[in-house]
Amino acid sequence: MVLMALTSRGRVVEENSDVMLYLDEKRKYMVKARRGSKLHTHRGYVDMDSVVGASYGSRVKSNVGVDFVVLQPTLWDYVLKVARRTQVIYPKDMALMVFRLGLTSGMRVVEAGTGSGALTCALAYFVKPGVVYSYEINPKFQEVARRNIERAGLMDYVVLKLKDITQGIDEEDVDAVVLDMAAPWLVVEHAYQALKGGGFFASFSPTINQVEKTVLALRRRGFVDVRVYELLLREIKVEEGAVRPFTLMIGHTGYVTFARKSL
Ligand SMILES: C[S@@+](CC[C@H](N)C(=O)[O-])C[C@H]1O[C@@H](n2cnc3c(N)ncnc32)[C@H](O)[C@@H]1O
């Protein structure tokens, strides 16, 4: 049952939907709202019978009287909680991609590699009822990704392909080609062939050496508006009279390269 995931926006928790039970700033639990099941935590267990039918935003109590707030999971929660077999792209970098690519409903996007499917979920969420054609060379990763995408309720908008994208892209006239793989520069020519005029190339790379090779290949092929960004996201710790960034942060994820196809 994948219906009640990111595509459903009700006011109360429906049976078999995913729900986020929020305990405090450090702990929240994403669980299936199944009658007869329990969520066990160090603050007692929550009987899921009390969660099914509860209004979002309301509180349910564990068996020892501790409150949990009932929240509807968002795309952010799904991509952070996917089962991981590979590195995944963080929401901050996904957000930049989605906005810069202008992703919107009905678009057709090619992606590689699928990895754990975290980015696939984000792409599918924004293009639905369009489609994401996602290439992957490792069948084990592809299976993990399939389960993650199904859990998010987005599989209807994704075509998973077991294929090396450096050997070519089957689709034509796509709106964007989005890469998160070791050698994106090997895909520049295929991306050019697959994109519609003005279409976007985007690539996430952890090292600047990959970026250099990719940008040079893009320029050689005549792509325009070639830009590279790095995003740093700092969370702020707010205590009265002592507001400051947290000491620890994710210092590096990767660089995001964008370019557009010129005819
Ligand atoms: C870092 S992971 C991608 C993670 C993914 N973006 C996510 O958010 O879950 C890179 C993936 O690219 C795949 N890959 C590497 N080269 C590829 C190629 N030539 N064609 C298709 N997939 C490839 C790898 O097997 C790996 O699963």
Side-chain angles (χ1 to χ4, degrees):
M1 161 63 110
V2 294
L3 214 57
M4 308 303 169
L6 281 167
T7 46
S8 162
R9 296 276 105 193
R11 294 174 69 87
V12 297
V13 179
E14 293 189 38
E15 189 165 10
N16 288 321
S17 62
D18 288 324
V19 64
M20 186 66 80
L21 295 180
Y22 176 95
L23 175 59
D24 57 33
E25 282 171 21
K26 292 202 182 112
R27 277 154 294 210
K28 50 183 185 173
Y29 305 88
M30 193 155 101
V31 279
K32 273 259 180 277
R34 270 198 204 101
R35 284 193 194 280
S37 65
K38 292 181 175 56
L39 167 70
H40 290 270
T41 77
H42 70 297
R43 307 299 303 274
Y45 68 79
V46 177
D47 190 335
M48 295 310 285
D49 284 8
S50 69
V51 175
V52 176
S55 296
Y56 288 116
S58 67
R59 289 164 191 261
V60 293
K61 285 196 188 300
S62 73
N63 65 315
V64 295
V66 174
D67 276 350
F68 288 73
V69 182
V70 179
L71 298 173
Q72 188 157 32
T74 64
L75 180 62
W76 177 283
D77 302 309
Y78 278 95
V79 300
L80 283 179
K81 288 188 183 290
V82 293
R84 294 179 192 201
R85 290 294 174 278
T86 62
Q87 287 289 328
V88 301
I89 296 196
Y90 277 73
K92 70 176 175 78
D93 297 309
M94 290 179 182
L96 176 66
M97 286 180 165
V98 163
F99 201 81
R100 182 87 182 132
L101 299 176
L103 291 189
T104 189
S105 85
M107 281 186 166
R108 295 168 62 244
V109 175
V110 167
E111 180 204 21
T114 315
S116 305
L119 179 61
T120 321
C121 286
L123 298 173
Y125 181 79
F126 287 98
V127 304
K128 69 181 160 52
V131 60
V132 181
Y133 302 94
S134 189
Y135 289 64
E136 173 57 57
I137 45 174
N138 185 320
K140 288 193 181 130
F141 296 160
Q142 192 187 56
E143 266 326 292
V144 172
R146 184 188 305 280
R147 288 197 292 276
N148 284 328
I149 299 162
E150 279 174 352
R151 184 171 193 204
L154 292 164
M155 202 54 223
D156 284 352
Y157 317 107
V158 177
V159 175
L160 292 177
K161 306 183 74 153
L162 204 55
K163 182 175 171 186
D164 179 348
I165 198 168
T166 65
Q167 299 306 304
I169 294 175
D170 304 326
E171 295 70 31
E172 292 175 350
D173 274 331
V174 299
D175 296 285
V177 173
V178 182
L179 305 174
D180 176 13
M181 51 180 282
W185 58 90
L186 298 180
V187 188
V188 167
E189 179 58 34
H190 302 310
Y192 188 90
Q193 297 301 334
L195 283 167
K196 56 167 68 160
F200 267 104
F201 174 99
S203 172
F204 176 89
S205 295
T207 76
I208 209 80
N209 315 74
Q210 293 164 299
V211 171
E212 184 180 24
K213 286 186 185 158
T214 308
V215 167
L216 294 181
L218 287 165
R219 287 192 184 137
R220 266 197 306 272
R221 190 57 186 89
F223 277 85
V224 295
D225 203 10
V226 182
R227 309 221 168 213
V228 183
Y229 301 94
E230 180 183 17
L231 267 184
L232 302 179
L233 183 71
R234 288 206 299 180
E235 190 174 356
I236 306 299
K237 188 175 182 187
V238 180
E239 279 168 15
E240 202 171 347
V243 180
R244 62 175 181 82
F246 279 94
T247 312
L248 298 180
M249 66 182 280
I250 293 166
H252 177 67
T253 56
Y255 308 97
V256 198
T257 301
F258 296 99
R260 301 191 78 168
K261 173 176 171 175
S262 156
L263 293 174

Coordinates of all heavy atoms in Angstrom, one line a residue, residues 66-128:
V66 N 3.9 10.2 28.0 CA 4.7 11.2 27.3 C 4.0 11.6 26.0 O 3.5 10.7 25.3 CB 6.2 10.6 27.1 CG1 7.0 11.6 26.2 CG2 6.9 10.4 28.4
D67 N 4.0 12.9 25.7 CA 3.3 13.4 24.5 C 4.2 13.2 23.3 O 5.4 13.5 23.3 CB 3.0 14.9 24.7 CG 1.7 15.1 25.4 OD1 1.0 14.2 25.7 OD2 1.5 16.3 25.8
F68 N 3.5 12.8 22.2 CA 4.1 12.8 20.9 C 3.2 13.6 20.0 O 2.0 13.4 20.0 CB 4.3 11.4 20.3 CG 5.3 10.6 21.0 CD1 5.2 10.1 22.2 CD2 6.5 10.3 20.3 CE1 6.1 9.3 22.8 CE2 7.5 9.5 20.9 CZ 7.3 9.0 22.2
V69 N 3.8 14.5 19.2 CA 2.9 15.3 18.2 C 2.8 14.6 16.9 O 3.8 14.1 16.4 CB 3.5 16.7 18.0 CG1 2.6 17.5 17.1 CG2 3.7 17.5 19.3
V70 N 1.6 14.5 16.4 CA 1.3 13.8 15.2 C 1.5 14.7 14.0 O 0.8 15.7 13.8 CB -0.1 13.2 15.2 CG1 -0.5 12.5 13.9 CG2 -0.4 12.4 16.4
L71 N 2.5 14.4 13.1 CA 2.8 15.2 12.0 C 2.8 14.4 10.7 O 3.0 13.2 10.7 CB 4.2 15.9 12.1 CG 4.3 16.8 13.3 CD1 5.8 17.3 13.5 CD2 3.4 18.0 13.2
Q72 N 2.4 15.1 9.6 CA 2.5 14.5 8.3 C 3.9 14.6 7.7 O 4.5 15.7 7.7 CB 1.5 15.1 7.3 CG 1.4 14.4 6.0 CD 0.0 14.7 5.3 OE1 -0.5 15.8 5.4 NE2 -0.5 13.7 4.6
P73 N 4.5 13.5 7.3 CA 5.9 13.6 6.8 C 5.9 14.4 5.5 O 5.0 14.4 4.7 CB 6.3 12.2 6.5 CG 5.2 11.3 7.1 CD 4.0 12.1 7.3
T74 N 7.0 15.1 5.3 CA 7.2 15.8 4.0 C 8.3 15.2 3.2 O 9.0 14.3 3.7 CB 7.6 17.3 4.3 OG1 8.9 17.3 4.9 CG2 6.6 18.0 5.2
L75 N 8.5 15.8 2.0 CA 9.6 15.3 1.1 C 10.9 15.3 1.9 O 11.7 14.3 1.8 CB 9.7 16.2 -0.1 CG 10.8 15.8 -1.1 CD1 10.5 14.4 -1.7 CD2 10.8 16.9 -2.2
W76 N 11.2 16.3 2.7 CA 12.4 16.4 3.5 C 12.6 15.1 4.4 O 13.7 14.6 4.4 CB 12.3 17.7 4.4 CG 13.4 17.9 5.4 CD1 13.6 17.3 6.5 CD2 14.4 18.9 5.2 NE1 14.7 17.8 7.2 CE2 15.2 18.8 6.4 CE3 14.7 19.9 4.3 CZ2 16.3 19.6 6.6 CZ3 15.8 20.7 4.5 CH2 16.6 20.6 5.7
D77 N 11.5 14.7 5.0 CA 11.6 13.5 5.9 C 11.9 12.3 5.1 O 12.7 11.5 5.5 CB 10.3 13.4 6.7 CG 10.0 14.6 7.5 OD1 10.9 15.0 8.3 OD2 8.8 15.1 7.4
Y78 N 11.2 12.2 4.0 CA 11.4 10.9 3.2 C 12.9 10.9 2.7 O 13.5 9.8 2.7 CB 10.5 10.9 2.0 CG 9.1 10.4 2.4 CD1 8.1 11.2 2.7 CD2 8.9 9.0 2.4 CE1 6.8 10.7 3.1 CE2 7.6 8.5 2.8 CZ 6.6 9.4 3.1 OH 5.4 8.9 3.4
V79 N 13.4 12.0 2.1 CA 14.7 11.9 1.5 C 15.8 11.7 2.6 O 16.8 11.1 2.4 CB 15.1 13.0 0.6 CG1 14.1 13.1 -0.6 CG2 15.2 14.3 1.3
L80 N 15.6 12.2 3.8 CA 16.5 12.0 4.9 C 16.4 10.6 5.5 O 17.4 10.1 6.1 CB 16.4 13.0 6.0 CG 16.9 14.4 5.7 CD1 16.7 15.4 6.8 CD2 18.4 14.4 5.3
K81 N 15.3 10.0 5.3 CA 15.1 8.7 6.0 C 15.1 7.5 5.0 O 14.7 6.4 5.3 CB 13.8 8.7 6.8 CG 13.9 9.5 8.0 CD 12.8 9.4 9.0 CE 12.9 10.3 10.2 NZ 13.9 9.9 11.1
V82 N 15.5 7.7 3.7 CA 15.6 6.6 2.8 C 16.6 5.6 3.3 O 17.6 6.0 4.0 CB 16.0 7.0 1.3 CG1 14.9 7.9 0.7 CG2 17.3 7.7 1.3
A83 N 16.3 4.3 3.0 CA 17.3 3.3 3.3 C 18.5 3.6 2.4 O 18.3 3.7 1.2 CB 16.7 1.9 3.0
R84 N 19.7 3.7 2.9 CA 20.9 4.1 2.1 C 21.8 2.9 1.8 O 22.3 2.2 2.7 CB 21.7 5.1 2.9 CG 20.9 6.4 3.1 CD 21.7 7.4 3.8 NE 20.8 8.5 4.2 CZ 21.2 9.7 4.6 NH1 22.5 10.0 4.5 NH2 20.3 10.6 4.9
R85 N 22.1 2.8 0.5 CA 23.1 1.9 0.1 C 24.2 2.7 -0.6 O 25.3 2.1 -1.0 CB 22.6 0.8 -0.9 CG 21.7 -0.2 -0.2 CD 22.4 -1.1 0.8 NE 21.4 -1.9 1.5 CZ 20.7 -1.5 2.5 NH1 20.8 -0.3 3.0 NH2 19.8 -2.4 3.1
T86 N 24.0 3.9 -0.8 CA 25.0 4.8 -1.5 C 25.0 6.2 -0.7 O 24.1 6.4 0.1 CB 24.5 5.1 -2.9 OG1 23.3 5.8 -2.9 CG2 24.4 3.9 -3.8
Q87 N 25.9 7.0 -1.1 CA 25.7 8.4 -0.6 C 24.4 9.0 -1.2 O 24.1 8.6 -2.3 CB 26.9 9.3 -1.2 CG 28.2 9.0 -0.5 CD 28.2 9.5 0.9 OE1 27.6 10.5 1.2 NE2 28.9 8.8 1.8
V88 N 23.7 9.8 -0.5 CA 22.5 10.4 -1.1 C 22.7 11.9 -1.1 O 23.6 12.5 -0.4 CB 21.2 10.1 -0.3 CG1 21.0 8.6 -0.3 CG2 21.3 10.7 1.1
I89 N 21.9 12.6 -2.0 CA 22.0 14.1 -2.0 C 21.2 14.7 -0.9 O 20.1 14.2 -0.6 CB 21.5 14.6 -3.4 CG1 22.4 14.0 -4.5 CG2 21.4 16.1 -3.5 CD1 22.3 14.7 -5.8
Y90 N 21.7 15.7 -0.3 CA 21.0 16.3 0.9 C 20.0 17.3 0.4 O 20.1 17.8 -0.7 CB 22.0 17.1 1.7 CG 22.8 16.2 2.7 CD1 23.7 15.3 2.2 CD2 22.4 16.2 4.0 CE1 24.4 14.5 3.1 CE2 23.1 15.4 4.9 CZ 24.1 14.5 4.5 OH 24.7 13.7 5.4
P91 N 18.9 17.5 1.2 CA 17.8 18.4 0.8 C 18.3 19.8 0.3 O 17.7 20.3 -0.6 CB 17.0 18.5 2.0 CG 17.2 17.2 2.7 CD 18.7 16.8 2.5
K92 N 19.3 20.3 0.9 CA 19.8 21.7 0.5 C 20.2 21.7 -0.9 O 19.9 22.6 -1.7 CB 20.9 22.2 1.4 CG 22.2 21.5 1.2 CD 23.3 22.1 2.1 CE 24.6 21.3 2.0 NZ 25.4 21.5 0.8
D93 N 20.9 20.7 -1.3 CA 21.4 20.6 -2.7 C 20.2 20.3 -3.7 O 20.2 20.8 -4.8 CB 22.5 19.6 -2.9 CG 23.7 20.0 -2.0 OD1 24.2 21.2 -2.1 OD2 24.2 19.2 -1.2
M94 N 19.3 19.4 -3.2 CA 18.1 19.1 -4.0 C 17.3 20.3 -4.3 O 16.8 20.6 -5.4 CB 17.2 18.1 -3.3 CG 17.8 16.7 -3.2 SD 16.5 15.8 -2.3 CE 17.4 14.2 -2.2
A95 N 17.2 21.1 -3.2 CA 16.3 22.3 -3.3 C 16.9 23.3 -4.4 O 16.2 23.9 -5.2 CB 16.2 23.0 -2.0
L96 N 18.2 23.4 -4.4 CA 18.9 24.3 -5.4 C 18.6 23.8 -6.8 O 18.3 24.5 -7.7 CB 20.4 24.4 -5.1 CG 21.2 25.2 -6.1 CD1 20.8 26.6 -6.0 CD2 22.7 25.0 -5.9
M97 N 18.7 22.4 -6.9 CA 18.5 21.8 -8.2 C 17.1 22.1 -8.7 O 16.8 22.5 -9.8 CB 18.7 20.3 -8.2 CG 20.2 19.9 -8.0 SD 20.3 18.1 -8.0 CE 22.0 17.9 -8.3
V98 N 16.1 21.8 -7.8 CA 14.7 21.9 -8.2 C 14.4 23.3 -8.7 O 13.7 23.5 -9.7 CB 13.8 21.5 -7.0 CG1 12.4 22.0 -7.2 CG2 13.9 20.0 -6.8
F99 N 14.9 24.3 -7.9 CA 14.6 25.7 -8.2 C 15.3 26.1 -9.5 O 14.7 26.8 -10.4 CB 15.0 26.5 -7.0 CG 14.3 27.8 -7.0 CD1 13.0 28.0 -6.5 CD2 14.9 29.0 -7.5 CE1 12.3 29.2 -6.5 CE2 14.2 30.2 -7.5 CZ 12.9 30.3 -7.0
R100 N 16.6 25.8 -9.6 CA 17.4 26.3 -10.7 C 16.9 25.6 -12.0 O 16.9 26.2 -13.1 CB 18.8 25.9 -10.5 CG 19.8 26.3 -11.5 CD 20.3 27.8 -11.3 NE 21.1 28.1 -12.4 CZ 21.1 29.2 -13.1 NH1 20.2 30.1 -12.8 NH2 21.9 29.5 -14.1
L101 N 16.4 24.3 -11.9 CA 15.9 23.6 -13.1 C 14.5 24.1 -13.4 O 14.0 23.7 -14.5 CB 16.0 22.1 -12.9 CG 17.3 21.5 -12.7 CD1 17.2 20.0 -12.4 CD2 18.2 21.7 -13.8
G102 N 13.9 24.7 -12.5 CA 12.5 25.1 -12.7 C 11.6 23.9 -12.9 O 10.6 24.0 -13.7
L103 N 11.8 22.9 -12.1 CA 11.0 21.7 -12.2 C 9.6 22.0 -11.9 O 9.2 22.6 -10.9 CB 11.5 20.6 -11.3 CG 12.9 20.0 -11.6 CD1 13.1 18.8 -10.7 CD2 13.0 19.6 -13.1
T104 N 8.7 21.5 -12.7 CA 7.3 21.6 -12.5 C 6.5 20.5 -13.1 O 7.1 19.7 -13.8 CB 6.8 23.0 -13.1 OG1 5.5 23.2 -12.7 CG2 6.9 23.0 -14.6
S105 N 5.2 20.4 -12.8 CA 4.5 19.2 -13.1 C 4.4 19.0 -14.6 O 4.2 20.0 -15.4 CB 3.1 19.3 -12.5 OG 2.2 20.0 -13.1
G106 N 4.6 17.8 -15.0 CA 4.5 17.4 -16.4 C 5.8 17.3 -17.1 O 5.9 16.8 -18.2
M107 N 6.9 17.7 -16.5 CA 8.2 17.7 -17.1 C 8.7 16.2 -17.2 O 8.3 15.4 -16.5 CB 9.2 18.5 -16.3 CG 9.1 20.0 -16.6 SD 10.5 20.8 -15.8 CE 10.4 22.4 -16.5
R108 N 9.6 16.0 -18.2 CA 10.3 14.7 -18.4 C 11.8 14.9 -18.1 O 12.4 15.8 -18.7 CB 10.1 14.2 -19.8 CG 8.6 13.9 -20.1 CD 8.4 13.7 -21.6 NE 9.2 12.5 -22.1 CZ 10.1 12.6 -23.0 NH1 10.5 13.8 -23.5 NH2 10.7 11.6 -23.4
V109 N 12.3 14.2 -17.1 CA 13.7 14.3 -16.7 C 14.4 13.0 -16.7 O 13.9 12.0 -16.4 CB 13.7 14.9 -15.2 CG1 15.1 15.0 -14.7 CG2 13.0 16.2 -15.1
V110 N 15.7 13.1 -17.2 CA 16.5 11.9 -17.1 C 17.5 12.1 -15.9 O 18.0 13.2 -15.7 CB 17.3 11.7 -18.4 CG1 18.5 10.7 -18.3 CG2 16.4 11.3 -19.6
E111 N 17.7 11.0 -15.2 CA 18.6 11.0 -14.0 C 19.6 9.9 -14.0 O 19.2 8.8 -14.5 CB 17.7 10.9 -12.7 CG 18.6 11.0 -11.5 CD 17.9 10.3 -10.3 OE1 17.0 9.5 -10.4 OE2 18.3 10.6 -9.2
A112 N 20.8 10.1 -13.5 CA 21.7 9.0 -13.3 C 22.7 9.4 -12.2 O 23.1 10.6 -12.2 CB 22.5 8.6 -14.6
G113 N 23.2 8.5 -11.3 CA 22.7 7.2 -11.1 C 21.6 7.3 -10.1 O 21.5 8.2 -9.2
T114 N 20.7 6.3 -10.1 CA 19.6 6.2 -9.2 C 20.1 6.2 -7.7 O 19.5 6.8 -6.9 CB 18.7 5.0 -9.5 OG1 18.5 4.9 -10.9 CG2 17.4 5.1 -8.8
G115 N 21.2 5.4 -7.5 CA 21.7 5.2 -6.1 C 20.6 4.7 -5.2 O 20.0 3.7 -5.5
S116 N 20.4 5.4 -4.1 CA 19.3 5.0 -3.2 C 18.0 5.6 -3.5 O 17.0 5.3 -2.8 CB 19.7 5.4 -1.7 OG 21.0 4.8 -1.4
G117 N 17.9 6.4 -4.5 CA 16.6 7.0 -5.0 C 16.2 8.2 -4.2 O 15.0 8.6 -4.4
A118 N 17.1 8.8 -3.4 CA 16.6 10.0 -2.7 C 16.4 11.2 -3.6 O 15.3 11.8 -3.6 CB 17.7 10.4 -1.7
L119 N 17.3 11.4 -4.5 CA 17.1 12.5 -5.5 C 15.9 12.2 -6.4 O 15.2 13.0 -6.8 CB 18.4 12.8 -6.3 CG 18.3 13.9 -7.3 CD1 17.9 15.2 -6.8 CD2 19.6 14.0 -8.1
T120 N 15.8 10.9 -6.8 CA 14.7 10.5 -7.7 C 13.4 10.9 -7.0 O 12.5 11.3 -7.7 CB 14.7 8.9 -7.9 OG1 16.1 8.5 -8.0 CG2 13.9 8.5 -9.1
C121 N 13.2 10.7 -5.7 CA 12.0 11.0 -5.0 C 11.7 12.5 -5.2 O 10.6 12.9 -5.5 CB 12.1 10.7 -3.5 SG 12.0 9.0 -3.2
A122 N 12.8 13.3 -5.0 CA 12.6 14.8 -5.1 C 12.2 15.2 -6.5 O 11.3 16.0 -6.7 CB 13.8 15.5 -4.7
L123 N 12.9 14.6 -7.5 CA 12.6 15.0 -8.9 C 11.1 14.6 -9.3 O 10.4 15.3 -9.8 CB 13.6 14.3 -9.9 CG 15.0 14.6 -9.7 CD1 15.9 13.7 -10.6 CD2 15.3 16.1 -10.0
A124 N 10.8 13.3 -8.9 CA 9.4 12.8 -9.2 C 8.3 13.6 -8.5 O 7.3 13.9 -9.0 CB 9.3 11.3 -8.8
Y125 N 8.6 14.1 -7.3 CA 7.7 14.9 -6.5 C 7.3 16.1 -7.2 O 6.1 16.6 -7.3 CB 8.3 15.2 -5.1 CG 7.4 16.0 -4.2 CD1 6.4 15.4 -3.5 CD2 7.6 17.4 -4.1 CE1 5.6 16.1 -2.6 CE2 6.8 18.1 -3.2 CZ 5.8 17.5 -2.5 OH 5.1 18.2 -1.6
F126 N 8.3 16.8 -7.9 CA 8.0 18.0 -8.5 C 7.5 17.9 -10.0 O 6.9 18.8 -10.5 CB 9.3 18.9 -8.5 CG 9.5 19.5 -7.1 CD1 10.4 18.9 -6.2 CD2 8.7 20.5 -6.6 CE1 10.6 19.4 -4.9 CE2 8.9 21.0 -5.3 CZ 9.8 20.4 -4.5
V127 N 7.9 16.8 -10.6 CA 7.4 16.7 -12.0 C 6.1 15.9 -12.2 O 5.5 15.9 -13.2 CB 8.5 16.1 -13.0 CG1 9.8 16.9 -12.9 CG2 8.7 14.6 -12.7
K128 N 5.7 15.2 -11.1 CA 4.5 14.4 -11.3 C 3.3 15.3 -11.8 O 3.2 16.5 -11.3 CB 4.1 13.7 -10.0 CG 3.6 14.7 -8.8 CD 3.3 13.8 -7.6 CE 3.4 14.6 -6.3 NZ 2.6 15.8 -6.2

